[in-house]
Amino acid sequence: MREVPLESNTDAIAFADALEQGVFDLVILLTGVGMRTLAAVVQHARGTDTSFIDALRRTRIAARGPKPVAVLRELGVAVWVTAPEPNTWRELIAALDARSGELSLAGARVAVQEYGAPNVELIEALERRGAHVTRVPVYQWALPEDVEPLREAIRAIGRSDIDVLLL
C-alpha cells in the first residue's frame, strides 16, 4: 500500500482556516504521514505554513502514537495527550478520558486528521462523549504502482511456497 495525497484537498485548507480562527478545542493527529501531508498541503496552497503551525501551538493536540509526535516535535508543537502503546484509538480515547478534568469532550469541537480511511470507531467514541467532530482527510490509500511483486507473492502462496504469512 502507499499513501496518495488527495487531488483537491479543500477539507485540509478549510481545517487550517478554522484552526487559525480558534474554532477547535482539540486536534487529534493519527499519523505522522498525515501531519506531514497536512502541513505540505497548507504550505503549497498558501506559500507558507507559519500561521497554521502557530495555530497548532495554541491548540490542544492529541496524538495516537510516536510518529505524529515526532513530526510535531520537528515543528515545535507541544502534544497535550499521547496514546500509550499499542497506540490504537482505544488507548487514545482512554487517555482523553483520563484528562477530562482539563478538557471535557462534551461540547468540545474536535478535528480528527484521518489516514487512508475514516476511523469510524474513534469518531463514534468521540461523539458518544458529546464531541462535535470534524473529519480532516489528507490522503488515501492506493495499491503500489507496480503490483507484480504482489501478484507473485499471491502465486507463491497458491503454490504453497510460503510457509508463514505476516499481515
Side-chain angles (χ1 to χ4, degrees), residues 25-71:
D25 301 304
L26 175 67
V27 173
I28 297 176
L29 301 171
L30 299 177
T31 66
V33 169
M35 182 56 226
R36 282 193 200 287
T37 302
L38 189 54
V41 166
V42 172
Q43 172 77 30
H44 178 73
R46 297 181 176 168
T48 180
D49 63 0
T50 303
S51 60
F52 172 66
I53 301 302
D54 287 343
L56 284 171
R57 289 181 182 129
R58 293 189 304 270
T59 308
R60 282 189 171 98
I61 306 291
R64 187 185 63 170
K67 292 178 183 177
V69 169
V71 174

Side-chain angles (χ1 to χ4, degrees), residues 73-160:
R73 188 175 303 120
E74 290 171 18
L75 298 172
V77 176
V79 177
W80 177 62
V81 169
T82 304
E85 289 188 7
N87 311 112
T88 73
W89 69 268
R90 289 176 182 87
E91 286 79 27
L92 181 58
I93 287 292
L96 290 170
D97 286 344
R99 304 282 296 266
S100 64
E102 297 171 53
L103 175 68
S104 171
L105 291 175
R109 300 159 303 171
V110 179
V112 178
Q113 169 259 305
E114 296 184 335
Y115 41 94
N119 186 324
V120 176
E121 293 97 343
L122 171 61
I123 291 169
E124 288 175 351
L126 292 166
E127 289 174 342
R128 277 193 306 273
R129 287 160 175 77
H132 303 285
V133 179
T134 299
R135 297 173 40 238
V136 185
V138 291
Y139 63 86
Q140 59 192 357
W141 287 323
L143 289 173
E145 290 179 12
D146 178 8
V147 296
E148 189 53 35
L150 179 59
R151 287 186 175 131
E152 179 51 37
I154 292 168
R155 288 191 287 269
I157 292 167
R159 293 189 306 264
S160 298

